[in-house]
Amino acid sequence: MVRRIKTVGRWPSRAGAPRTQADRPSDDGRASAGPLLATLALALALGGCSTIANMPSTMVDDSASAASPANLASLTEVLAKNPNDPQAYNMRGSVLGQSGRYQEALADFDKAIAIDPNYAQAYANRALARRQTGQIDLALADYERALQIDPGYAVAYVGRGMTYRDKGELLRALQDFNKAIQIRPDNAQAYYNRGLLYQSQRQHQYAIDDFSTAIGLSHQQAEPFIARALSYLAAGDAKAAAGDLDDAVEVEPENVQAWTSRGLAYERLNDKEKAAGSYARALALRQGYGPAVAGFKRVGGEPGKSYTTFN
């Protein structure tokens, strides 16, 4: 039976306004949800989620087919015939980046920029490749240049916000996510990443609002469901968290974080059967995964036993 995916799309009433300490919502003393919850939330924040939809055809596009060897060969053939085509270099760099071949991707973005010094998308793509390889300051410089060329480039604001978050400059990150939302209120990644920022500051109701909007805009991605569930858990609403995580594993059945988080939600609901089954599924996907190993042990999981994960 196919479960209905929830597509709650509540738009925060203060989408463009930074939240301050004064208007931080209360979590009723339940913000600290234990080391497993913190570990899962940290994993999401560090990932930065470059797979949320509503992005243009850049290195952050989540199309699996784009990174195929056939596409790479085709683009190389195009470049052999058109060696001064900056778009072709940019596109091939995107494909290489999706494949994790960052140095080759950087070389292609360098070439695209050398041919067209005002190619904003190539700067943004090179910034992402630099961020992925730990070149944070160079990534920021590239995002700055992209935004000088195109001040309305929402994707570059999101990328720069993520980079500022990497540096721990959270206010600047928040300002960039707000700007991206102001320019493109349909940008799911901007809401998702702003939600992660609020979540890291234990502003869980604001985080839930943003994750809800991201889900409404891009409900075939597991990450916003997982993130919203973690904020629900931190706020003490394990039932809502479990519902989100049911949806997350339906959308992405091989997502280790989704299964592990689901195990935690059902553990909080004292449903040890579903909790153990969820942790077991996570371990089947990633053997020895610490948070799943610990959870499976806590709920009395038995290796080799079959569990009911859905009723």
Side-chain angles (χ1 to χ4, degrees):
M1 180 180 68
V2 178
R3 302 181 67 258
R4 180 177 64 84
I5 300 297
K6 294 190 289 292
T7 56
V8 178
R10 182 154 56 110
W11 294 79
S13 59
R14 297 179 292 275
R19 274 61 162 179
T20 64
Q21 182 72 24
D23 66 0
R24 176 178 294 179
S26 171
D27 291 314
D28 298 325
R30 294 170 295 191
S32 179
L36 178 55
L37 180 58
T39 298
L40 294 167
L42 178 62
L44 282 169
L46 291 176
C49 191
S50 61
T51 60
I52 297 296
N54 294 332
M55 305 299 277
S57 297
T58 68
M59 202 170 80
V60 292
D61 194 319
D62 66 339
S63 171
S65 62
S68 70
N71 278 345
L72 189 59
S74 177
L75 288 165
T76 299
E77 185 178 343
V78 168
L79 283 167
K81 296 176 181 177
N82 303 280
N84 292 314
D85 184 348
Q87 291 185 341
Y89 278 109
N90 181 61
M91 190 172 295
R92 190 175 70 174
S94 299
V95 173
L96 289 165
Q98 289 174 35
S99 302
R101 296 162 63 176
Y102 296 119
Q103 295 307 317
E104 294 169 86
L106 284 167
D108 272 358
F109 298 137
D110 287 345
K111 186 67 174 178
I113 290 166
I115 297 168
D116 182 359
N118 292 312
Y119 196 173
Q121 193 180 76
Y123 281 104
N125 278 336
R126 190 172 71 177
L128 178 56
R130 284 175 162 173
R131 177 176 176 257
Q132 295 287 358
T133 54
Q135 302 175 64
I136 301 301
D137 289 335
L138 289 174
L140 282 173
D142 273 348
Y143 283 126
E144 292 284 354
R145 180 59 182 144
L147 289 167
Q148 286 173 0
I149 296 166
D150 183 0
Y153 193 7
V155 170
Y157 279 109
V158 175
R160 192 176 69 174
M162 293 164 67
T163 309
Y164 277 135
R165 187 179 62 204
D166 292 345
K167 286 174 65 72
E169 297 184 29
L170 302 188
L171 180 57
R172 285 185 169 182
L174 178 62
Q175 290 169 341
D176 273 355
F177 297 144
N178 287 342
K179 184 66 174 179
I181 289 166
Q182 179 185 346
I183 296 169
R184 286 289 305 274
D186 63 342
N187 189 311
Q189 194 181 45
Y191 284 102
Y192 172 77
N193 279 281
R194 192 175 69 175
L196 289 178
L197 198 62
Y198 291 146
Q199 187 178 71
S200 73
Q201 299 302 299
R202 298 183 178 180
Q203 297 189 46
H204 290 293
Q205 188 53 57
Y206 288 132
I208 288 167
D209 286 345
D210 274 355
F211 296 141
S212 296
T213 302
I215 289 166
L217 293 168
S218 179
H219 61 267
Q220 291 303 313
Q221 302 286 341
E223 285 86 353
F225 284 112
I226 300 170
R228 188 171 69 176
L230 294 179
S231 278
Y232 277 137
L233 282 173
D237 191 345
K239 185 176 180 180
D244 270 355
L245 293 162
D246 287 349
D247 287 336
V249 299
E250 289 280 358
V251 171
E252 294 183 25
E254 296 188 359
N255 190 308
V256 174
Q257 284 189 343
W259 284 108
T260 305
S261 301
R262 186 175 186 268
L264 180 60
Y266 279 107
E267 182 180 347
R268 294 288 176 84
L269 291 171
N270 203 31
D271 188 336
K272 293 186 178 182
E273 176 78 8
K274 286 184 181 179
S278 297
Y279 289 133
R281 287 289 294 272
L283 291 170
L285 292 167
R286 188 182 302 175
Q287 188 175 4
Y289 182 50
V293 169
F296 192 62
K297 182 177 180 180
R298 274 197 313 273
V299 297
E302 300 176 28
K305 179 180 175 180
S306 295
Y307 291 95
T308 300
T309 53
F310 288 99
N311 290 337

